[in-house]
Amino acid sequence: MAEPQQDMREKPAGEYTQEGANQQLPTDPGDNAKPDDTCLELVLKVRIQSHKENDFIEVELDRQELSYQNLLKVSCCELGINPEQVEKIRKLPNTLLRKDKDILRLRDFQEVELILMKNGSSELIEHIPSLLEKPCYNSNAAKMTY
């Protein structure tokens, strides 16, 4: 009995595929992240805003109890800070989380940063040194005229 003959023509590079193989691979775990009903916890990466330390910790929140207050309470407990010290919660890179609806939109492994109050006040005033205070300032160059 004769075997079926396969098409032996050469295919251009990249056209060889395996049947049933997934053609699209996600590049980032968060790309296709959707809330999974089988997963009871939301895992977030949390840190305190700091110029010195930039490491995150992972915190688990019960999906049935997702709220701004719960995120604040669990994050502060894990980081060892008082919730009253937190001025804002930011989803990185640049989104402030303000209410429960914002928290419900979060996906697994998103990065969240707690912004602490400075010196007990709610104003974030940072000292930005002037050119005269910077050690690399050249006073002779500032006096030159062109």
Side-chain angles (χ1 to χ4, degrees):
M1 196 168 166
E3 291 184 30
Q5 203 168 18
Q6 292 181 346
D7 187 5
M8 299 303 281
R9 290 181 288 148
E10 287 188 33
K11 292 185 179 184
E15 282 194 30
Y16 292 100
T17 58
Q18 198 173 7
E19 281 188 39
N22 184 2
Q23 299 298 321
Q24 183 180 1
L25 296 174
T27 56
D28 182 17
D31 283 354
N32 296 325
K34 295 178 183 167
D36 187 1
D37 292 336
T38 61
C39 183
L40 300 175
E41 292 179 330
L42 172 68
V43 179
L44 297 174
K45 295 167 59 176
V46 180
R47 73 178 181 192
I48 298 172
Q49 180 189 34
S50 171
H51 297 291
K52 299 173 191 167
E53 186 68 40
N54 61 357
D55 291 335
F56 289 91
I57 63 165
E58 290 181 356
V59 299
E60 297 84 18
L61 298 172
D62 187 344
R63 287 189 189 272
Q64 304 301 317
E65 299 175 15
L66 281 181
S67 68
Y68 183 91
Q69 286 301 318
N70 194 33
L71 171 61
L72 179 64
K73 181 182 82 171
V74 171
S75 299
C76 288
C77 180
E78 293 277 341
L79 291 166
I81 59 173
N82 186 340
E84 294 170 4
Q85 293 176 285
V86 178
E87 180 178 1
K88 300 175 187 176
I89 301 177
R90 175 187 296 137
K91 179 181 81 167
L92 294 177
N94 59 2
T95 304
L96 288 180
L97 300 174
R98 303 172 294 133
K99 53 191 176 195
D100 291 349
K101 272 185 150 182
D102 297 340
I103 307 306
L104 291 171
R105 286 191 286 269
L106 292 173
R107 300 291 175 243
D108 278 331
F109 301 103
Q110 284 190 302
E111 297 176 345
V112 175
E113 186 172 68
L114 302 182
I115 302 165
L116 303 182
M117 292 184 196
K118 304 283 186 188
N119 299 330
S121 73
S122 63
E123 293 181 25
L124 283 176
I125 300 173
E126 292 189 30
H127 176 69
I128 301 171
S130 69
L131 287 176
L132 292 172
E133 295 172 308
K134 290 185 180 178
C136 62
Y137 176 73
N138 184 345
S139 60
N140 291 332
K143 295 175 186 174
M144 295 177 69
T145 56
Y146 296 98

